[in-house]
Amino acid sequence: MAAHLGRKSFLTIAVLFHLLYMYSIFDIYFVSPIVSGMRAHGADLNESPEPPPSRRLVLFVGDGLRADKAFQEFPDPSPNAPNTTETQKPRRLMPFLRSRIESHGTFGVSHTRVPTESRPGHVALIGGLYEDVSAVATGWKLNPVHFDSVFNRSRHTWSWGSPDILPMFKEGAVPGRVHADTYGAEAEDFTTDATHLDIWVFDKVKALFKQAEKDQKLNEELRKDKSVLFLHLLGLDMTGHGFRPYSREYLHNIQVVDKGVKEMTELIENFYGDGQTSFVFTADHGMSDWGSHGDGHPDNTRTPLVAWGSGVAKPKRVKKGVAPGHEDGFSSDWDLDRVQRHDVEQADIAALMAYLAGLEYPVNSVGQLPLSYLSADPKSKAKALLANAQEVLEMYHVKEERKQSAKLRFKPYPELSGDDQSADARVEHISNLIAGGKYDDAIDKSLELMKVSLGGLQYLQTYDWLFLRVLVTVGYLGWIAFALTTVVDLHVLQHDVPSSRTTVSRGAFGAVLAALYSFLLVERSPWTYYAYVIFPVAFWEEVYARKDALAEGGRLLLREYQSSSAWLGLVLKCVAYLGVLEALAQSYFYRDVYTICYLLATTWPAFYGMDFLKRNIVLVTAWVVSCVTMSTFTMLPAMKTENLNLILLGGLLMFVFGLSYLVFEDKIIGAAYTTDSRQSDEPKDTGSRVLVGFQTGLIALAMLVTYSSVNSLQARQGLPLGTQVVGWITLLYSLSAPLIDSFLRPKTQIHYLYRLTTIFLTFAPMFVILTIEYEGLFYIAFCTTLFTWLQMERRVYEHTLASTADAGSPPTATPGTDRKSKPDGATNGAAKSAISSQPQEQSQRQYRSFTLSDLRTPLFLLFLTHSAFFSVGNIPSISSFSLDAVYRLLPIFDPFSQASLLLLKILSPFVVISAVLGVLTRMLHLKDGAVFLVVVGIVDWLTVRFFWSVSVEGSWLEIGESISRFGIVSLLGVFCAGIEGGGGGLVGGVVVGSERVGRVEGKADAAAGGGSGNGNGGTRAYGTDGAGREGKGREGMAQKDHTAMASNSQLEGYQSAQKSRGGKEKENNKPRNAAVKGGASG
């Protein structure tokens, strides 16, 4: 690590490290299963006298259709249905598909996997494999499917539907094999009736067959065998997002789909007239009750599957009781208890379609042929399943060869090694069973072979797990140690401690790095592995080099704890600290943890005694009220429904706040604009009122826009263009207002209350326009809590200083000074110089050393950061976010733009947190980065915990949530870096402080120096500027030629204070406005 690493460089490393290590779960847990070079396998039915089960296949995919909604009873949801007793009687919405289930085919539930999105769902259905989780990011753009599929195995495929799905399979297949006919992207409007999308598909199919009656070439092409017709029906997904899956619109869309499927079935059967068509109806994913999908909730993973036609088994019925397959009770209200239910995994459908159409299995498929759906004889089933198992086994062979060629010592999968249980021996044994007529035994052995082959594929997928997991864990622990080393070396110690870096230590760490790189090179590892290696080696080398600084820093931090009672108190505080951290970990599972924590936080002021409570009764009351208010939000449901009254209430309160600030600005921050900080003849700055008035007006405009858009959308009239334009203008102007203000008044000193107010008002219109229910009220409560916390931390700091002065003991904070890096960097490692390049403004600020009592501040910051995530939603569940509010600005389907707006709203409280952190750091006289570095260490403790809890087994809900938890806590490291990096910029040029702090500190310093401080005469030894000059702004500072103010020990602190008293009388006569001019608070 470079010895002269600047603050910005340190933050950059923090961001890069966390982003890279967050990606590690995809190298470890979710490696892409796609390989090439396999030989295709089919059922070999063409070699027998019997023809394939069918000559063609028709696939219907009702995008976003839940299994339960497809088969439950509901009142007539037709738009024009009168409100009569007859229409309110429950009825089946898909009578045609029910008739197929009851008389013509086989049905069940198809269980999908996370992420329950369109691309991975269609890839599983048509390709037979489950892509890694990151593939969802490529689901809404033209990205060819780089693996085999049923479409690619067909002679020709005709497809109709969404431009977001069809082109992927067209471009990924053999050129000319797949025909895709799509509507325009502008047709995907969430605010209008989406049934026209499905009707468009049905009309296009009708037009094709009508054209075939006149076009002989098309007619001949359609009549060839091994053809596939794919109808992608997006209307259900669009309607579910826009109106929820329990709405009349969604239920009516189900009716439209059932009617269309019936028409298509009759049309196709009449056109061919040979009874050689197989039909499959299913969905790519389900839909949650709040109109979203993506996670592993059962509503998203359970989809219907109905197959009928040539080659499909007839329904198996029972006369009494409940037929097999209904044991889970999920289908108890479908009135299909007498018909056997055959559940499958989603990838199994690809194998089923390939068999029915007489195609070879897609070479990347991991689906298992569901034999219960086949009407074939036992011999045909046995041969088809053996070919299915061989296709999966072929993938294992290819992956094994590649893995073996790259490993120094490869250990084969035990279940497929050895003479008796080798793959070839197993296949030969199954073939002999089929030849001997033992079809049931052959089927059992084929199923066993498929299970073993899938286990072998999983074994190869996880072959490098142990090495990578240990490596990543060591990297995270190294970062934690490096960050804490930086805290000690930069914010606790106030003098140079020579590093312990020697030739031997450098050689040892260099040898470790060289050995690991050589190992990775031999094994032809990806480039990311090299990055995973260099970080832990570099971090731990720096920590080792700074071990002496760590030891001395530890002695300084613990010097107050001399008695057994003090140590007991420290132990109890540590236990409480760990308890809060564990509560934060549990909050990823239970949101109501925040309710308990906020209620416990109301008792925080009581720990400082009755005198503190009496002197700060108003602030303490505000703190208690804000905490109690915040505790209610995590008791509210995370899944929200649109409530215009609550939206407007939140907007009204924010408007009243802005108006109140305009009226009472002089009383609120008038002290900042007195002669203490401004010449009496300077004109009064009216720019602040103009900006706040402008922002307040934007809130009112946002309320009007939201009122108009919500009413229009709820009336199913779409989004008026004028409303949309005004909404965008309001949002963009509100976000740009502070930037405009900074540009017009770059050199104006601004009180911190004004800056925090403008930042709060910046995002207020967003929390009106993009709010569904109570998010605006949360934003008000959360910002109020942040402000009261800021003032509480300040008053606690003042109280601690006053208590120290009254006790006649030196202050607990060690006086500090900026340290210059050595030219050769030998004694100044990266931990020390990570934030050495301070801005000029900070160089002139007064600061103190970080103490153990300051650990409370980063813990509160981390808790509030988590609260910003979880108080209005369940972040680990992707489905907890509704796009309803986004439709007020972007009604057309554009997932990346819509997700960006949603993320902007979610992350906006972090900007407020960043500003508060910047102000608080100055109030507490800490150097920039002190709180951030501790927070990063705490966050990564949670990261390591969730890293080891990422699951690839269990329910898909558990798997999806485990991924989300790790991703969120990993991103928190990036967010914290952003909070730290933005804090300084947001409060640049801001006046922070009060006379009270100066008086209390003067009193404490007088006690430290042994004199009778009067509140102004004492001196506290603070930092010098970057040139070694002492800051002159605070009353009672030492004279300019003093240089001994930066000691790190109590004795030197006493000496510095004693020396400073010599200039006390002279300093007391300086004008008070020197506090502002010198960069101090005043």
Side-chain angles (χ1 to χ4, degrees):
M1 292 264 176
H4 298 282
L5 188 66
R7 176 169 173 264
K8 292 183 179 179
S9 299
F10 186 86
L11 294 176
T12 301
I13 290 178
V15 172
L16 292 177
F17 169 77
H18 285 91
L19 289 177
L20 178 69
Y21 267 52
M22 183 178 66
Y23 181 79
S24 66
I25 65 167
F26 298 106
D27 273 337
I28 300 173
Y29 299 103
F30 304 103
V31 181
S32 176
I34 301 173
V35 292
S36 57
M38 286 84 68
R39 180 172 60 91
H41 292 267
D44 294 328
L45 295 178
N46 290 330
E47 298 178 1
S48 64
E50 295 295 329
S54 67
R55 291 179 57 82
R56 67 200 65 87
L57 172 79
V58 181
L59 171 63
F60 302 94
V61 175
D63 200 310
L65 176 60
R66 279 170 47 167
D68 54 349
K69 300 301 180 184
F71 302 121
Q72 289 172 340
E73 291 184 335
F74 298 95
D76 187 1
S78 301
N80 300 323
N83 187 14
T84 62
T85 304
E86 181 64 26
T87 58
Q88 293 304 310
K89 289 182 179 180
R91 67 199 62 208
R92 305 299 176 183
L93 302 182
M94 305 194 87
F96 176 75
L97 282 178
R98 289 185 67 87
S99 69
R100 303 301 97 181
I101 294 171
E102 294 175 337
S103 305
H104 298 85
T106 306
F107 93 108
V109 174
S110 170
H111 297 274
T112 70
R113 295 190 182 184
V114 290
T116 48
E117 297 289 350
S118 291
R119 175 191 167 99
H122 282 88
V123 167
L125 284 172
I126 300 167
L129 79 154
Y130 302 105
E131 286 188 295
D132 60 293
V133 178
S134 62
V136 68
T138 63
W140 298 288
K141 58 184 178 181
L142 183 58
N143 184 64
V145 180
H146 298 295
F147 45 78
D148 203 9
S149 69
V150 172
F151 295 171
N152 193 48
R153 290 288 156 185
S154 70
R155 186 183 305 277
H156 194 91
T157 295
W158 288 267
S159 59
W160 302 268
S162 170
D164 306 304
I165 298 298
L166 270 56
M168 296 190 306
F169 294 97
K170 176 183 178 181
E171 300 300 325
V174 174
R177 182 163 294 180
V178 178
H179 169 82
D181 193 359
T182 65
Y183 37 76
E186 67 279 358
E188 299 177 356
D189 189 338
F190 287 100
T191 65
T192 60
D193 183 6
T195 56
H196 71 279
L197 299 179
D198 299 337
I199 294 173
W200 183 94
V201 171
F202 298 139
D203 289 343
K204 285 292 182 177
V205 177
K206 295 175 183 177
L208 175 74
F209 284 99
K210 187 174 183 179
Q211 181 183 355
E213 296 176 358
K214 304 176 182 178
D215 188 334
Q216 184 62 30
K217 184 177 179 181
L218 176 61
N219 192 297
E220 293 176 357
E221 191 70 23
L222 285 171
R223 294 185 183 276
K224 291 181 180 179
D225 63 349
K226 300 185 178 182
S227 297
V228 176
L229 303 176
F230 172 40
L231 285 72
H232 177 240
L233 308 173
L234 184 64
L236 287 162
D237 185 73
M238 299 288 294
T239 306
H241 284 307
F243 303 102
R244 305 292 191 272
Y246 49 77
S247 65
R248 291 188 62 173
E249 289 79 6
Y250 185 85
L251 300 177
H252 172 61
N253 208 144
I254 294 177
Q255 289 182 314
V256 172
V257 168
D258 183 71
K259 180 181 178 182
V261 171
K262 178 182 179 181
E263 293 177 353
M264 296 302 100
T265 302
E266 294 173 350
L267 173 67
I268 292 171
E269 288 182 338
N270 291 335
F271 178 83
Y272 291 106
D274 56 5
Q276 290 294 304
T277 305
S278 301
F279 298 88
V280 174
F281 179 91
T282 187
D284 55 345
H285 55 75
M287 182 75 64
S288 67
D289 280 340
W290 44 99
S292 56
H293 52 82
D295 64 11
H297 192 279
D299 287 341
N300 297 327
T301 61
R302 294 187 295 207
T303 60
L305 173 61
V306 183
W308 70 97
S310 180
V312 179
K314 301 299 181 184
K316 296 181 179 179
R317 305 180 62 92
V318 297
K319 295 181 178 180
K320 295 182 180 179
V322 179
H326 298 275
E327 292 80 7
D328 58 1
F330 174 59
S331 53
S332 59
D333 58 349
W334 297 359
D335 194 25
L336 293 171
D337 292 350
R338 300 295 176 88
V339 182
Q340 185 171 345
R341 195 179 104 193
H342 305 269
D343 289 7
V344 301
E345 297 295 325
Q346 192 172 44
D348 299 345
I349 298 176
L352 173 63
M353 293 191 297
Y355 169 82
L356 291 175
L359 310 176
E360 294 173 323
Y361 298 110
V363 296
N364 299 108
S365 174
V366 296
Q368 176 181 302
L369 181 63
L371 299 180
S372 60
Y373 280 76
L374 311 184
S375 62
D377 56 77
K379 180 179 180 180
S380 298
K381 289 183 179 181
K383 292 180 64 178
L385 190 60
L386 174 58
N388 188 196
Q390 287 179 291
E391 174 265 321
V392 177
L393 186 62
E394 182 75 13
M395 272 196 295
Y396 171 79
H397 284 317
V398 172
K399 285 192 174 185
E400 183 185 45
E401 291 175 0
R402 296 184 180 181
K403 183 69 70 175
Q404 187 173 8
S405 64
K407 295 298 176 183
L408 291 174
R409 296 184 60 185
F410 176 74
K411 183 179 180 182
Y413 184 52
E415 296 294 326
L416 289 173
S417 59
D419 295 336
D420 295 337
Q421 53 186 7
S422 66
D424 292 339
R426 290 174 181 267
V427 171
E428 183 180 0
H429 178 59
I430 296 172
S431 299
N432 292 335
L433 289 175
I434 295 175
K438 299 179 179 180
Y439 306 124
D440 290 339
D441 293 339
I443 289 174
D444 292 339
K445 292 297 182 181
S446 294
L447 291 174
E448 180 183 340
L449 176 58
M450 175 162 285
K451 181 179 179 181
V452 170
S453 299
L454 292 174
L457 290 174
Q458 179 67 17
Y459 171 79
L460 296 176
Q461 286 281 101
T462 61
Y463 193 86
D464 297 323
W465 268 25
L466 181 60
F467 170 73
L468 287 175
R469 291 168 92 176
V470 171
L471 180 63
V472 170
T473 301
V474 173
Y476 274 119
L477 295 178
W479 169 258
I480 294 172
F482 174 68
L484 296 182
T485 300
T486 306
V487 173
V488 171
D489 197 37
L490 205 67
H491 302 288
V492 176
L493 299 177
Q494 300 300 333
H495 65 284
D496 290 335
V497 177
S499 70
S500 304
R501 186 178 285 108
T502 63
T503 303
V504 174
S505 66
R506 288 176 176 173
F509 282 100
V512 171
L513 183 62
L516 289 172
Y517 271 14
S518 299
F519 174 76
L520 297 178
L521 185 62
V522 171
E523 296 208 338
R524 293 178 287 179
S525 301
W527 69 269
T528 51
Y529 287 26
Y530 294 86
Y532 299 151
V533 165
I534 195 171
F535 278 113
V537 173
F539 290 153
W540 284 112
E541 192 278 336
E542 186 63 34
V543 172
Y544 176 82
R546 304 301 300 159
K547 65 180 185 296
D548 292 341
L550 284 173
E552 184 166 347
R555 288 193 294 269
L556 288 175
L557 288 172
L558 298 175
R559 65 189 173 186
E560 304 173 33
Y561 303 93
Q562 304 296 330
S563 63
S564 58
S565 59
W567 278 101
L568 178 60
L570 178 61
V571 171
L572 293 177
K573 291 178 181 178
C574 291
V575 171
Y577 207 91
L578 294 175
V580 176
L581 290 180
E582 180 59 26
L584 288 178
Q586 293 300 318
S587 70
Y588 284 78
F589 303 90
Y590 312 102
R591 289 176 64 239
D592 48 7
V593 167
Y594 291 97
T595 299
I596 299 173
C597 289
Y598 270 118
L599 293 177
L600 291 176
T602 60
T603 64
W604 174 36
F607 287 93
Y608 299 98
M610 287 300 301
D611 182 59
F612 177 84
L613 296 177
K614 291 178 180 178
R615 285 187 297 153
N616 302 281
I617 184 64
V618 176
L619 178 60
V620 170
T621 302
W623 170 254
V624 172
V625 171
S626 63
C627 286
V628 171
T629 303
M630 284 297 298
S631 70
T632 62
F633 286 101
T634 47
M635 300 175 64
L636 299 174
M639 313 312 168
K640 298 171 284 293
T641 57
E642 194 170 58
N643 188 319
L644 182 58
N645 291 331
L646 287 179
I647 296 172
L648 296 180
L649 176 60
L652 178 62
L653 292 177
M654 288 184 278
F655 177 81
V656 170
F657 173 83
L659 198 61
S660 301
Y661 181 88
L662 287 174
V663 175
F664 300 106
E665 181 186 31
D666 290 338
K667 294 183 179 180
I668 295 173
I669 60 173
Y673 300 115
T674 62
T675 56
D676 293 330
S677 59
R678 175 191 299 274
Q679 299 297 330
S680 59
D681 57 348
E682 289 187 45
K684 188 172 182 180
D685 179 21
T686 60
S688 62
R689 290 181 178 272
V690 172
L691 177 63
V692 174
F694 177 69
Q695 291 180 308
T696 304
L698 288 177
I699 297 175
L701 184 59
M703 294 171 62
L704 292 175
V705 168
T706 303
Y707 179 83
S708 173
S709 60
V710 169
N711 285 327
S712 179
L713 294 176
Q714 288 182 349
R716 312 300 189 244
Q717 297 175 355
L719 180 65
L721 179 60
T723 302
Q724 182 182 9
V725 172
V726 175
W728 273 108
I729 292 175
T730 303
L731 182 63
L732 295 177
Y733 268 110
S734 68
L735 295 177
S736 61
L739 299 177
I740 297 174
D741 179 64
S742 300
F743 177 77
L744 295 178
R745 302 187 301 151
K747 297 182 179 180
T748 303
Q749 288 186 331
I750 300 172
H751 195 273
Y752 76 93
L753 290 177
Y754 166 74
R755 177 56 57 84
L756 293 180
T757 298
T758 57
I759 292 175
F760 167 79
L761 294 176
T762 295
F763 299 103
M766 180 190 301
F767 274 89
V768 177
I769 298 175
L770 297 181
T771 288
I772 300 175
E773 193 173 6
Y774 57 80
E775 300 98 302
L777 298 175
F778 159 77
Y779 180 63
I780 299 171
F782 182 73
C783 291
T784 303
T785 303
L786 282 176
F787 178 77
T788 53
W789 172 61
L790 172 69
Q791 300 302 325
M792 279 293 301
E793 288 283 1
R794 178 179 187 166
R795 296 296 175 85
V796 168
Y797 175 51
E798 296 171 1
H799 176 76
T800 303
L801 288 175
S803 300
T804 301
D806 293 340
S809 60
T812 58
T814 305
T817 180
D818 241 347
R819 293 168 292 162
K820 302 290 288 183
S821 300
K822 297 293 182 66
D824 59 356
T827 62
N828 235 10
K832 174 175 59 181
S833 58
I835 316 179
S836 61
S837 300
Q838 303 292 348
Q840 181 67 18
E841 181 186 356
Q842 177 174 324
S843 299
Q844 297 175 353
R845 291 206 328 260
Q846 298 169 347
Y847 59 87
R848 62 181 177 83
S849 297
F850 193 88
T851 66
L852 285 181
S853 61
D854 291 317
L855 289 174
R856 176 193 67 251
T857 302
L859 185 64
F860 262 110
L861 178 66
L862 185 61
F863 173 78
L864 291 169
T865 302
H866 277 78
S867 178
F869 268 112
F870 290 100
S871 292
V872 293
N874 182 21
I875 297 293
S877 175
I878 301 172
S879 299
S880 65
F881 299 107
S882 172
L883 295 175
D884 280 4
V886 180
Y887 301 153
R888 301 168 196 163
L889 296 176
L890 289 173
I892 305 299
F893 180 65
D894 187 357
F896 288 108
S897 299
Q898 291 172 331
S900 298
L901 281 176
L902 195 60
L903 285 175
L904 179 63
K905 177 186 136 184
I906 293 170
L907 300 180
S908 56
F910 287 96
V911 180
V912 185
I913 295 175
S914 180
V916 170
L917 175 61
V919 172
L920 181 60
T921 301
R922 297 178 178 215
M923 280 186 173
L924 302 183
H925 299 293
L926 293 171
K927 290 172 67 176
D928 290 343
V931 176
F932 156 69
L933 291 171
V934 178
V935 170
V936 168
I938 299 173
V939 165
D940 285 333
W941 176 84
L942 294 173
T943 304
V944 172
R945 170 170 178 165
F946 289 131
F947 171 76
W948 282 90
S949 66
V950 173
S951 175
V952 294
E953 298 178 351
S955 72
W956 287 107
L957 177 61
E958 296 169 343
I959 294 173
E961 289 187 344
S962 71
I963 299 170
S964 300
R965 283 191 290 267
F966 173 76
I968 291 167
V969 78
S970 299
L971 284 174
L972 276 178
V974 180
F975 294 155
C976 290
I979 290 172
E980 165 61 20
L986 290 172
V987 299
V990 169
V991 177
V992 177
S994 69
E995 292 181 5
R996 183 178 182 183
V997 176
R999 291 195 299 268
V1000 173
E1001 289 172 346
K1003 185 177 179 181
D1005 291 333
S1012 56
N1014 62 0
N1016 289 321
T1019 291
R1020 187 173 183 77
Y1022 285 96
T1024 62
D1025 62 18
R1029 298 185 300 273
E1030 297 167 354
K1032 302 183 297 181
R1034 179 173 297 276
E1035 301 165 89
M1037 286 296 290
Q1039 294 181 3
K1040 187 174 182 180
D1041 58 349
H1042 268 324
T1043 58
M1045 299 174 64
S1047 173
N1048 69 329
S1049 66
Q1050 290 287 31
L1051 177 59
E1052 291 171 335
Y1054 273 50
Q1055 292 172 346
S1056 296
Q1058 190 68 28
K1059 290 179 182 179
S1060 68
R1061 295 178 61 203
K1064 179 164 104 178
E1065 297 298 328
K1066 184 176 181 179
E1067 290 289 90
N1068 282 339
N1069 294 327
K1070 291 184 178 182
R1072 290 186 63 240
N1073 62 357
V1076 175
K1077 294 182 179 180
S1081 55

